[in-house]
Amino acid sequence: MKLVNIHKQTVFLLFFLIGVYSSQAQVSTLQQCIDTAQIYNKNLQMSRNNMAIGEQKKNEAKANLIPKVTANADYKYFTNLPYQLMPLSTFNPTAPEGQFKEAQFGVPHNINANLQLSMPLYNPQVYGAIQTTKIASELTELQYLKTEEQIFFEISNLYYNAQILHNQLAFIDSNFVNAERLLKNMQLLNEQLLAKGTDVSKVKLQVAQLTTQKLSIKSKYEQVLNALKFNMGISIEQNLQIEPNIQYQTANEYTPSSILDIRIIKTQNRLLLSELSTLNKSRFLPSINLIGMYGTTGFGYDKLPNDFLKFYPIGFAGIQLSYPLFNGTVTQRKINQKRFELHNNELQFGLFTEQNNMQVQNSKMQKEVAKKTVETTTEQIQLAQTIYDQTILQQKLGTASLTDVLLADNALREAQQTYLTAVIDYLKADLELKKLTGNISTTK
């Protein structure tokens, strides 16, 4: 339980200016934490790398339109020259038909060296891949923005949690001072036989409970700071101080805009349609390539006295047409898969739209409840503070018991805690509403 004195002007201003922190440590605002995460958060770094990979894939697809030139060279030594059957009439005109004589062709040494050129004039798969990788690159950019949005959301939540724990610690420090003062007064009254020993024990219990509570909250505060550092991408050993002032102000309604999840689903739909179009074209449209080769062929004979090594040029240019007739229904199976994926994508779009509408309504209600709670607890804190001050005065005059003081203190602390929780709940609900309506980026 806590014994505190809260300045009334602080309640009316709806924020707290409390907490003693090291003057040597740099206090980081929420925006500074987000800016740090933009540089050091590893998830964002990986997402940026994925964007670079997507750009390279798009360039790779375009590179398939560039002519390809390959150099080839080979050497063959025939231990047995290839045979061919020749009609016997070739050697003997009087030989009967249907009789053949084997003959070996060529020389033992064969050398080939050439340059081959290939350039697609029209290839539906290549053009389809270019369009598909372009859309995939857009999808990667949206996924980066989604990761960025999620990191912003998580850091904001952690920052708000750290603020409320920081303020709770400040409350406990203030309460501890009041509890120690009350304990001294009760011990003095007990020595003067004006208070019971049980009253002193009750106050000692209050002090012990505050000590235990402070240790628990301090541990939670350090854990939240560590999680905040992790999301920022900095070492947990690094000193981090947050801004203790809770910036509470009522926000206006947000104009719904296209949220990233919806944009991602729509882009995925375009990607699937592009892949399906490419598959359909590859079934019915031919591929046309420009081909060419230039090189030399060498023949060698190593038996004396007729040994020789001679080279002869070879070259050609032409157009190659390839038309798919039947590939075992593989393409048709892929088309069927894409159609099912498209159907799932459409179902996902409808499901997410309905879910988002429901979440927006719930978030608005949570925000409104938190707003009313803040307004109500502001008045409750003022009233509880007045009651507590009067009870302390009555206790000094002997007209109120220690139990009355503790009850008044308990009511005051509950109002304080409810107020702090309501303020953070309002900020979190406002953040959630920004995310659900596509306005979270406007806070950066």
Side-chain angles (χ1 to χ4, degrees):
M1 300 198 321
K2 304 180 250 185
L3 302 171
V4 295
N5 290 314
I6 298 181
H7 198 284
K8 297 179 182 179
Q9 293 181 352
T10 303
V11 176
F12 291 129
L13 293 175
L14 299 177
F15 66 90
F16 294 91
L17 297 173
I18 50 181
V20 178
Y21 49 91
S22 174
S23 59
Q24 297 177 352
Q26 178 68 37
V27 175
S28 298
T29 64
L30 174 57
Q31 186 60 52
Q32 288 172 332
C33 291
I34 293 172
D35 292 340
T36 302
Q38 289 279 353
I39 301 173
Y40 298 109
N41 183 274
K42 291 180 175 58
N43 286 324
L44 289 178
Q45 291 176 1
M46 289 188 293
S47 294
R48 283 191 286 268
N49 288 338
N50 289 336
M51 289 174 61
I53 291 172
E55 189 66 24
Q56 292 302 315
K57 286 183 177 180
K58 183 171 67 174
N59 294 335
E60 176 189 352
K62 292 180 179 179
N64 287 320
L65 296 176
I66 301 174
K68 307 296 186 297
V69 180
T70 57
N72 304 294
D74 66 78
Y75 165 76
K76 296 178 183 177
Y77 175 74
F78 288 93
T79 58
N80 289 292
L81 293 174
Y83 282 86
Q84 181 60 270
L85 294 179
M86 302 289 291
L88 193 58
S89 59
T90 303
F91 306 98
N92 184 4
T94 63
E97 293 184 6
Q99 295 186 6
F100 299 89
K101 177 67 175 177
E102 69 276 3
Q104 286 182 293
F105 290 92
V107 291
H109 301 276
N110 286 261
I111 301 173
N112 292 290
N114 58 71
L115 295 175
Q116 292 183 343
L117 174 116
S118 176
M119 176 180 175
L121 298 178
Y122 177 76
N123 190 317
Q125 292 181 338
V126 172
Y127 287 106
I130 292 174
Q131 181 63 25
T132 298
T133 53
K134 180 181 178 181
I135 300 174
S137 181
E138 295 177 16
L139 181 60
T140 306
E141 292 178 7
L142 290 175
Q143 289 170 340
Y144 168 78
L145 293 176
K146 178 64 179 177
T147 302
E148 189 180 52
E149 179 185 86
Q150 187 61 32
I151 295 298
F152 169 80
F153 186 80
E154 291 174 0
I155 287 178
S156 298
N157 269 319
L158 289 169
Y159 198 91
Y160 293 152
N161 288 334
Q163 282 185 316
I164 191 172
L165 291 171
H166 188 284
N167 281 277
Q168 285 177 343
L169 285 173
F171 277 140
I172 291 175
D173 288 338
S174 177
N175 295 342
F176 195 84
V177 172
N178 290 335
E180 288 283 357
R181 186 182 300 115
L182 180 61
L183 177 60
K184 291 180 180 179
N185 291 337
M186 295 307 299
Q187 288 174 338
L188 180 61
L189 290 174
N190 179 253
E191 291 173 359
Q192 298 173 354
L193 302 179
L194 297 176
K196 300 177 182 179
T198 55
D199 292 337
V200 177
S201 298
K202 289 179 181 179
V203 180
K204 286 183 177 180
L205 178 61
Q206 291 284 89
V207 174
Q209 289 175 337
L210 284 172
T211 302
T212 302
Q213 188 178 19
K214 180 177 180 179
L215 291 174
S216 175
I217 294 179
K218 187 174 181 180
S219 176
K220 292 179 181 179
Y221 179 68
E222 293 298 327
Q223 293 175 33
V224 171
L225 283 184
N226 287 339
L228 182 59
K229 294 174 189 177
F230 174 78
N231 280 273
M232 291 169 61
I234 62 177
S235 171
I236 60 174
E237 284 79 21
Q238 185 170 337
N239 190 13
L240 176 66
Q241 295 289 341
I242 65 166
E243 174 59 51
N245 304 333
I246 301 177
Q247 302 297 330
Y248 167 78
Q249 58 182 5
T250 56
N252 298 324
E253 292 293 327
Y254 300 113
T255 303
S257 61
S258 180
I259 62 175
L260 285 172
D261 290 308
I262 294 294
R263 292 169 62 187
I264 288 174
I265 292 174
K266 289 181 176 179
T267 306
Q268 289 172 339
N269 183 272
R270 290 172 51 210
L271 181 62
L272 290 170
L273 287 174
S274 176
E275 292 174 343
L276 183 60
S277 175
T278 301
L279 288 171
N280 281 320
K281 289 179 179 178
S282 66
R283 293 173 62 195
F284 305 111
L285 296 177
S287 298
I288 303 174
N289 296 319
L290 174 66
I291 58 175
M293 187 188 74
Y294 179 79
T296 183
T297 300
F299 299 100
Y301 186 72
D302 57 359
K303 304 296 183 182
L304 296 174
N306 298 319
D307 57 319
F308 65 88
L309 179 63
K310 296 181 179 180
F311 289 90
Y312 303 93
I314 181 174
F316 69 86
I319 294 178
Q320 182 186 61
L321 183 142
S322 176
Y323 187 85
L325 295 178
F326 181 71
N327 67 348
T329 71
V330 172
T331 302
Q332 183 60 48
R333 302 306 174 203
K334 291 182 178 180
I335 289 174
N336 291 342
Q337 294 174 32
K338 292 301 174 184
R339 286 174 178 169
F340 281 116
E341 291 177 18
L342 270 171
H343 188 219
N344 281 343
N345 180 268
E346 293 169 357
L347 291 174
Q348 185 182 19
F349 178 80
L351 177 65
F352 191 86
T353 301
E354 294 174 3
Q355 182 185 40
N356 182 258
N357 292 335
M358 178 267 294
Q359 290 175 336
V360 167
Q361 294 301 321
N362 289 346
S363 183
K364 286 181 178 179
M365 288 188 289
Q366 291 175 357
K367 181 179 176 181
E368 188 63 28
V369 169
K371 179 182 177 182
K372 291 181 179 179
T373 304
V374 170
E375 296 172 352
T376 302
T377 52
T378 299
E379 299 174 358
Q380 290 176 352
I381 289 176
Q382 183 181 3
L383 179 60
Q385 180 67 56
T386 302
I387 294 174
Y388 174 77
D389 292 340
Q390 292 175 351
T391 304
I392 289 292
L393 180 60
Q394 291 172 359
Q395 193 263 344
K396 290 180 180 180
L397 297 175
T399 58
S401 65
L402 177 62
T403 301
D404 296 329
V405 175
L406 297 179
L407 288 174
D409 168 62
N410 185 60
L412 178 59
R413 285 183 292 103
E414 286 183 358
Q416 294 165 354
Q417 182 60 39
T418 303
Y419 172 80
L420 270 178
T421 303
V423 170
I424 297 301
D425 286 346
Y426 178 86
L427 294 175
K428 289 183 177 180
D430 182 65
L431 184 67
E432 179 73 19
L433 188 59
K434 288 177 181 177
K435 177 182 177 182
L436 294 171
T437 55
N439 290 277
I440 194 169
S441 60
T442 61
T443 61
K444 296 184 182 180

